[in-house]
Amino acid sequence: MNAQRRTVIAAMLAAGLPIPAAFADDKLVLGFAQVGAESEWRTANTESIKSAAKDAGIELKFSDAQQKQENQIKAIRAFIAQKVDVIGFSPVVESGWGTVLREAKAAKIPVILSDRAVDEKDDTLWVTFMGSDFVEEGRKAGRWLLENYKGQGDVAIVELQGTVGSAPAIDRKKGFEEIIKAQPRYKIIRSQTGDFTRAKGKEVMEAFLKAEGKKINVLYAHNDDMAIGAIQAIEEAGMKPGKDITIISIDGVKGAFEAMIAGKLNVSVECSPLLGPQLMQAAKDLKAGKTLPKRIVTKESIFPMEVAAKELPNRKY
Ligand code: AHR
């Protein structure tokens, strides 16, 4: 510890202020409350955060909430009690964060939203929000459909939504609907949550197929994992995914590229989980007293099946 830091700590102690553990041993401590391990995307996101923390020499306290908001709230409270330097989290749902975020603010611990936003009016409760523009991802999916779907007449779409109340589920639905409403022949005939998992995606697609059978022209899945689960359901129903039913999903994970190469998935809109390095940099900047931009948007692309084989070797998740 350098002398200047020792003087600051002495002054803080004299003023009766708590000394964050990390400050005392000079290592930045980041508490991160993760959503869970629901998808290939999430696994890549966790890996990105853990390896970036290691590379940056940051002590990471990592908590997996198993897709439960109450677990994330408990984890954030534990980080506050441990006096971490910075709290990062990816909120499982948008609402219900006001109280715990006010507790973090009262403890003077800056909060970084990573990947997903919260629905809170007071935007002083977090310092920055880094991640994708989910509405734009939904728009990209909708535009691809209008530009590439070849069939005539009414187009029956089934939608597999993400976790109820989560930012990506709300925004991807909104962006997609905003685009397809321009052409009334495109109709969402069924829409249900598959909770961003393969198992649920398969189960809900089975129910869609049972109810609508060959009427279904298009599947719009809010993530690749649900699309991959649905592909299995479609094959088990004796239909050809990617041909009998056009399939659009979001994320761009390797599993989706493999499905595209096999001709079973038509397009995947990219959503990058590789937020770790950016998150560590932001935590360091905060500790150095820098001000961060309120919103940091991830740059992303879209991959139709025609480019999948060429792109797969370049994919990092
Ligand atoms: O918040 C990002 C979304 O969460 C990803 O699209 C999905 O796969 C994940 O579970």
Side-chain angles (χ1 to χ4, degrees):
M1 192 192 309
N2 64 38
Q4 196 187 7
R5 174 106 357 136
R6 261 197 300 271
T7 314
V8 173
I9 290 177
M12 288 176 86
L13 285 170
L17 295 169
I19 308 298
F23 202 72
D25 68 7
D26 235 355
K27 201 171 189 190
L28 195 154
V29 180
L30 169 72
F32 192 85
Q34 180 60 291
V35 172
E38 73 282 6
S39 60
E40 209 177 315
W41 189 100
R42 187 66 55 196
T43 307
N45 180 243
T46 293
E47 175 46 34
S48 170
I49 291 165
K50 287 186 174 170
S51 63
K54 211 166 158 205
D55 292 349
I58 289 176
E59 184 186 332
L60 177 68
K61 291 184 184 295
F62 186 88
S63 160
D64 175 338
Q66 298 177 344
Q67 283 183 282
K68 292 199 177 74
Q69 182 174 33
E70 64 264 32
N71 290 347
Q72 279 195 309
I73 292 176
K74 265 190 222 153
I76 294 170
R77 290 207 165 114
F79 296 150
I80 296 171
Q82 291 161 41
K83 299 184 171 55
V84 300
D85 295 292
V86 180
I87 292 173
F89 86 115
S90 174
V92 61
V93 290
E94 278 191 334
S95 58
W97 299 102
T99 306
V100 74
L101 290 180
R102 276 188 289 276
E103 289 168 24
K105 190 177 174 188
K108 298 195 172 18
I109 301 177
V111 172
I112 298 175
L113 299 177
S114 168
D115 161 40
R116 298 184 181 179
V118 294
D119 186 11
E120 288 294 335
K121 283 206 179 76
D122 179 3
D123 72 356
T124 66
L125 296 177
W126 61 94
V127 285
T128 185
F129 163 38
M130 57 179 63
S132 310
D133 180 340
F134 296 136
V135 178
E136 187 53 26
E137 289 172 353
R139 289 189 195 116
K140 281 182 188 162
R143 281 188 210 112
W144 182 90
L145 179 63
L146 299 197
E147 284 161 18
N148 294 280
Y149 190 76
K150 302 278 177 270
Q152 304 295 309
D154 280 358
V155 183
I157 304 167
V158 294
E159 178 183 32
L160 281 169
Q161 293 184 40
T163 302
V164 176
S166 69
I170 296 166
D171 293 353
R172 288 172 182 169
K173 181 169 187 54
K174 188 174 160 203
F176 184 77
E177 285 178 350
E178 184 190 306
I179 297 296
I180 64 161
K181 76 169 185 232
Q183 292 200 24
R185 76 184 184 107
Y186 290 87
K187 293 181 173 64
I188 298 179
I189 57 164
R190 300 233 165 207
S191 182
Q192 208 178 305
T193 179
D195 212 10
F196 282 130
T197 69
R198 283 187 196 200
K200 263 300 194 89
K202 179 169 189 269
E203 189 186 308
V204 177
M205 190 67 205
E206 280 166 358
F208 286 163
L209 287 162
K210 211 166 168 199
E212 306 291 348
K214 296 206 156 73
K215 252 197 272 168
I216 302 171
N217 304 115
V218 174
L219 163 65
Y220 169 45
H222 289 189
N223 83 342
D224 291 336
D225 280 77
M226 292 189 294
I228 292 167
I231 285 171
Q232 243 186 296
I234 295 167
E235 287 180 321
E236 284 171 18
M239 295 167 83
K240 288 199 176 71
K243 294 187 181 70
D244 297 333
I245 298 178
T246 298
I247 306 179
I248 305 167
S249 66
I250 299 182
D251 276 354
V253 297
K254 280 188 182 157
F257 276 77
E258 284 152 9
M260 286 194 278
I261 292 167
K264 297 177 182 186
L265 175 69
N266 300 79
V267 64
S268 183
V269 175
E270 187 179 37
C271 174
S272 176
L274 307 178
L275 300 171
Q278 219 171 11
L279 177 62
M280 300 311 144
Q281 190 54 52
K284 282 185 168 179
D285 287 349
L286 283 173
K287 202 168 182 200
K290 293 188 189 160
T291 308
L292 299 178
K294 201 74 193 170
R295 179 77 171 101
I296 304 170
V297 184
T298 317
K299 286 200 186 82
E300 289 156 345
S301 189
I302 175 166
F303 300 102
M305 56 164 41
E306 294 76 16
V307 305
K310 192 169 161 254
E311 286 293 332
L312 181 59
N314 307 325
R315 302 302 295 162
K316 296 205 167 48
Y317 59 94

